[in-house]
Amino acid sequence: MIRQGVSLKTYNSFGVVAKAALFAVEKSKEDLQLILKDERFRSAWILGGGSNTVFCDSPKQPIIHVDIAGIKIIEEDNDDVVINVGAGVNWHELVLWSLEQGFGGLENLSLIPGNVGAAPIQNIGAYGVELQDVFERCSFVYRNNQIIETFDKAACKFGYRDSIFKNELKNKVVITDVSLRLKKRNYKLNTSYGAIEQELLSNNISVPSPKDVSDAVINIRSTKLPDPKQLGNAGSFFKNPIVSKSQFQKLKTSFADIPHYTQPNGDYKIPAAWLIEQVGMKGIREGEVGTHKHHALVLVNYGNASGQDIKSFSLNVQEKVQNHFNILLQPEVNFCC
Ligand code: EPU
């Protein structure tokens, strides 16, 4: 269904006011293939849950909102189940559904905003777990010829907040559905993340279920990350930068207490939130935009920010961090201008 002059305010978690000249909602693979054939939508912006998108006032591109529903079990044995999920399913609703069925694997990824179709693009992750840990395969439509293809995990080339869909296939395909392998028993819970351990301990839970871990994650996230329904935001605004060993050693001589996570290849990941806090930008407000008081990596819209306001505030953050640490923060969010 094609509509004109559609308000995008409820289609982005930042809650910015913007208007799409042309807007199409697609509820099936077949309809998606049809709209991609339409000349007017050749260069359309593909919109999922809008939790990682910053819209400028009047985006030039038409918008295709992928709204493919459905969760089905497609394989099952005594231990595992493989589910196939439509790209338009809300991620957290999927997590809750899986926990209700007694399936384990998604608990650490509770409360991540956005829809299933976006999950493989940036290999969503939280609390020591990434999408790739449960990923089986996903299908997508090529924008240029509308052919459908399915990729397994290796083909997706997952990395930290990264995949083939952000590189070789960037803007070339639209994901239609994702298949995930979950556990029916012998759960492999990951509670190594300090805050989860503490949360379980304080609730006197020594043998947690996937639901217990999910509840812990929900508690942790709700205390430090603002609810987009109350305060517009897109979760982490920047990626955590990864620096080489030599760059890290140099940083360490000037900033002895710099937090870091060593990477399997010897590089170092530095929390962007720490860098932003160090340059005095945690909890600050400039007009209608700011950084959240409990988490410096989360940019917030106090109500009337435009996409341009958010963009210029983020450039300011980037510049301060660059000047102080010589590290260029890369946005995790996408700008649709
Ligand atoms: N920190 C600060 N100041 C702050 C907040 C954090 O200095 O205001 C420092 C602390 O040293 C803390 C460290 O940053 O130990 C890491 O903070 P946190 O545990 O909150 O994780 P993060 O690296 O900021 C990442 C993901 C989140 C995910 C959490 C939990 C990225 C870009 N973000 O955040 O993902 O929920 O880990 O695993 O990797 C998202 O992508 O939208 C998102 C929220």
Side-chain angles (χ1 to χ4, degrees):
M1 190 187 33
I2 300 173
R3 288 188 284 150
Q4 293 183 353
V6 173
S7 162
L8 296 171
K9 189 169 166 65
T10 56
Y11 287 100
N12 75 100
S13 63
F14 257 120
V16 300
V17 174
K19 206 159 239 175
L22 272 183
F23 186 90
V25 179
E26 301 312 329
K27 293 189 178 288
S28 71
K29 260 186 201 177
E30 296 71 27
D31 286 349
L32 184 59
Q33 285 172 302
L34 279 178
I35 197 81
L36 290 171
K37 269 198 188 115
D38 186 323
E39 274 300 323
R40 293 169 298 168
F41 286 86
R42 267 283 135 84
S43 64
W45 181 271
I46 308 297
L47 180 66
S51 61
N52 232 7
T53 306
V54 182
F55 288 116
C56 294
D57 296 353
S58 311
K60 289 184 198 70
Q61 290 158 278
I63 311 265
I64 297 176
H65 177 45
V66 182
D67 197 20
I68 301 173
I71 307 177
K72 351 181 233 295
I73 295 176
I74 53 169
E75 283 173 51
E76 190 166 9
D77 61 25
N78 288 340
D79 292 313
D80 290 4
V81 62
V82 177
I83 57 169
N84 178 265
V85 192
V89 173
N90 173 272
W91 177 265
H92 185 59
E93 278 167 26
L94 168 68
V95 175
L96 295 179
W97 175 88
S98 71
L99 294 167
E100 268 165 33
Q101 315 302 309
F103 302 156
L106 302 183
E107 53 282 346
N108 293 46
L109 305 176
S110 299
L111 224 52
I112 293 187
N115 288 356
V116 167
I121 296 178
Q122 62 158 341
N123 182 24
I124 57 168
Y127 306 105
V129 174
E130 289 182 321
L131 179 79
Q132 64 169 331
D133 301 328
V134 291
F135 184 90
E136 279 286 301
R137 52 191 173 267
C138 69
S139 300
F140 52 82
V141 185
Y142 282 97
R143 298 180 66 154
N144 60 351
N145 57 14
Q146 297 83 48
I147 287 173
I148 292 181
E149 190 165 350
T150 300
F151 268 9
D152 66 7
K153 195 193 314 199
C156 291
K157 299 190 186 166
F158 290 122
Y160 166 64
R161 292 295 197 272
D162 201 27
S163 74
I164 193 163
F165 305 110
K166 285 183 105 175
N167 297 288
E168 294 97 308
L169 291 183
K170 188 173 173 157
N171 296 331
K172 295 201 166 77
V173 303
V174 183
I175 293 175
T176 55
D177 56 278
V178 177
S179 297
L180 306 173
R181 178 175 292 275
L182 305 178
K183 287 262 160 230
K184 289 163 67 179
R185 58 178 190 179
N186 300 327
Y187 304 119
K188 294 198 187 102
L189 300 181
N190 185 333
T191 56
S192 58
Y193 196 92
I196 296 185
E197 261 172 7
Q198 283 160 24
E199 190 71 30
L200 292 171
L201 207 68
S202 66
N203 291 326
N204 287 320
I205 297 170
S206 51
V207 188
S209 66
K211 171 84 168 60
D212 293 328
V213 176
S214 167
D215 288 344
V217 169
I218 288 173
N219 271 339
I220 300 163
R221 285 187 80 103
S222 345
T223 50
K224 61 179 191 183
L225 300 172
D227 178 353
K229 290 196 191 88
Q230 270 137 38
L231 194 60
N233 75 87
S236 298
F237 194 91
F238 298 102
K239 292 196 273 188
N240 287 329
I242 294 178
V243 300
S244 66
K245 189 170 181 180
S246 63
Q247 194 182 352
F248 177 74
Q249 278 161 346
K250 229 192 269 164
L251 284 161
K252 184 109 178 115
T253 54
S254 314
F255 311 101
D257 57 349
I258 187 166
H260 56 274
Y261 314 101
T262 43
Q263 300 300 289
N265 68 351
D267 287 345
Y268 287 77
K269 185 153 84 182
I270 318 279
W274 184 85
L275 300 170
I276 298 169
E277 186 168 345
Q278 294 306 300
V279 298
M281 292 197 88
K282 180 172 179 170
I284 64 151
R285 175 173 178 169
E286 282 170 11
E288 290 294 308
V289 193
T291 50
H292 194 244
K293 59 177 187 288
H294 295 146
H295 207 299
L297 191 51
V298 181
L299 269 56
V300 295
N301 171 10
Y302 282 101
N304 295 309
S306 66
Q308 278 86 349
D309 294 338
I310 294 169
K311 191 166 192 175
S312 53
F313 182 86
S314 75
L315 291 173
N316 195 1
V317 173
Q318 267 177 326
E319 191 182 317
K320 291 236 169 68
V321 169
Q322 167 96 61
N323 290 345
H324 199 71
F325 292 103
N326 195 24
I327 292 177
L328 179 61
L329 293 179
Q330 301 291 349
E332 195 190 90
V333 302
N334 303 303
F335 292 95
C336 175
C337 290

